[in-house]
Amino acid sequence: MVLDDLGSSLRGTLDKLRGKSRISEEDVEEVVKEIQRSLLSADVDVSLVMELSDSIKTRALEEEPPSGTPARDFVLRIVYEELVDLIGESTDLPLEEQTILLAGLQGSGKTTTSAKMAWWFSTKGLQPAVIQTDTFRPGAYDQAKQMCERAEVDFYGDPDGEDPVQIARDGLEATSDADVHIVDTAGRHALEDDLIAEIEQINDVVQPDTSLLVLDAAIGQGAKDQAQQFDESIGIDGVAITKLDGTAKGGGALTAVDQTDSSIAFLGTGEEVEDVERFEPEGFISRLLG
Ligand code: GDP
């Protein structure tokens, strides 16, 4: 059965449906309320929660459960399907030659994520290289280099370089042997114009197959503006959510997924290069509802 790993309060509510074959409007209301509570406390945007509640309610009351399906399983199946519909399957990343550009604000976890993704691709038998173009944050070069050494993947950066666009160009040339190029970019504390101008120029040079927005799991409402800005400037194909090993559940990132009409690619679950998972809906949904 889907979603075995639910939070105790939602499980309790669903368990009240055990043994029932018909569901009343009251039952559905109670389940939906519980789901709303979980999702809102996981930072999922209110309007998304409302949209989802409506779809769950409508389906649970209007659809006929397949014969022999207990009410509890029927409702749970609808909840799961509607959440998958909202969140989507993981961002498509074929295991072949490609270039990936990472965007996001400073501290979101871009540099860490670039090395983690490179490590992940290397475990799939590909030869990745990280190109570090962040000339803004002191320490970004050393951090990326060290993580790439730990991941045993190729790395290019220029500790004395001042022009990120040139570094991107040189980096692609210097790592032409690699088959997956992961280009890390500078972040700022906010969405300043120069940040957007810089990433647009890097985007022009790199011509990525996929651009990922890196978001801290603790991001709440701020996700919308960031997603919109980066999507308008370079086009966002997917989201990487970091720091899911903390208390935040990452529901704010769903706003970015919705805003950019994209999906989730990777989840970061720690500070080490191996602390990365490819997104898969079921585990994430269980965590959101937990
Ligand atoms: P950038 O400015 O976007 O490049 O962010 P960094 O990659 O430097 O990450 C900022 C901080 O968050 C660093 O201290 C990282 O070690 C930490 N960090 C990044 N990803 C994760 C994660 O998944 N879990 C935890 N616990 N820390 C992370």
Side-chain angles (χ1 to χ4, degrees), residues 105 107-112 116 137 143 243 245 268-271:
L105 296 190
S108 58
K110 281 183 308 308
T111 300
T112 310
K116 285 176 173 180
R137 180 164 65 85
Q143 181 194 348
K243 309 183 197 180
D245 48 316
T269 56
E271 294 188 76

Side-chain angles (χ1 to χ4, degrees), residues 39-93:
L39 294 179
L40 290 172
S41 73
D43 288 328
V44 180
D45 181 69
V46 170
S47 56
L48 288 181
V49 173
M50 289 310 161
E51 242 174 74
L52 192 80
S53 310
D54 287 346
S55 325
I56 293 172
K57 265 188 231 169
T58 311
R59 285 190 57 190
L61 292 172
E62 286 181 4
E63 284 180 21
E64 236 357 86
S67 67
T69 308
R72 180 187 186 276
D73 293 355
F74 174 61
V75 173
L76 197 48
R77 164 69 57 188
I78 291 175
V79 169
Y80 179 71
E81 283 174 1
E82 289 300 317
L83 274 161
V84 170
D85 200 43
L86 174 72
I87 299 173
E89 300 291 335
S90 58
T91 312
D92 188 32
L93 289 171

Side-chain angles (χ1 to χ4, degrees), residues 118-134:
W119 174 80
W120 183 85
F121 277 108
S122 76
T123 66
K124 304 289 169 198
L126 288 152
Q127 193 190 333
V130 171
I131 300 169
Q132 168 60 269
T133 71
D134 187 351

Side-chain angles (χ1 to χ4, degrees), residues 158-214:
D158 179 356
D160 305 317
E162 287 177 358
D163 177 0
V165 182
Q166 189 58 43
I167 297 175
R169 202 176 281 121
D170 293 345
L172 287 177
E173 208 174 292
T175 59
S176 58
D177 282 353
D179 38 35
V180 179
H181 292 94
I182 299 169
V183 182
D184 186 21
T185 60
R188 305 283 193 275
H189 297 294
L191 291 159
E192 289 112 333
D193 290 345
D194 62 338
L195 166 67
I196 298 295
E198 179 179 301
I199 202 162
E200 282 176 356
Q201 286 171 22
I202 294 175
N203 186 57
D204 285 347
V205 165
V206 166
Q207 304 270 320
D209 300 290
T210 305
S211 295
L212 299 181
L213 176 62
V214 180

Side-chain angles (χ1 to χ4, degrees), residues 5 11 16 26 45 62 77 99 102 117 149 159 166-167 179-180 184 190 213 226 263:
D5 189 20
R11 201 171 48 228
K16 288 192 209 152
E26 215 174 19
D45 181 69
E62 286 181 4
R77 164 69 57 188
T99 303
L102 296 187
M117 283 170 51
E149 277 166 11
Q166 189 58 43
I167 297 175
D179 38 35
V180 179
D184 186 21
L213 176 62
Q226 280 188 51
S263 48

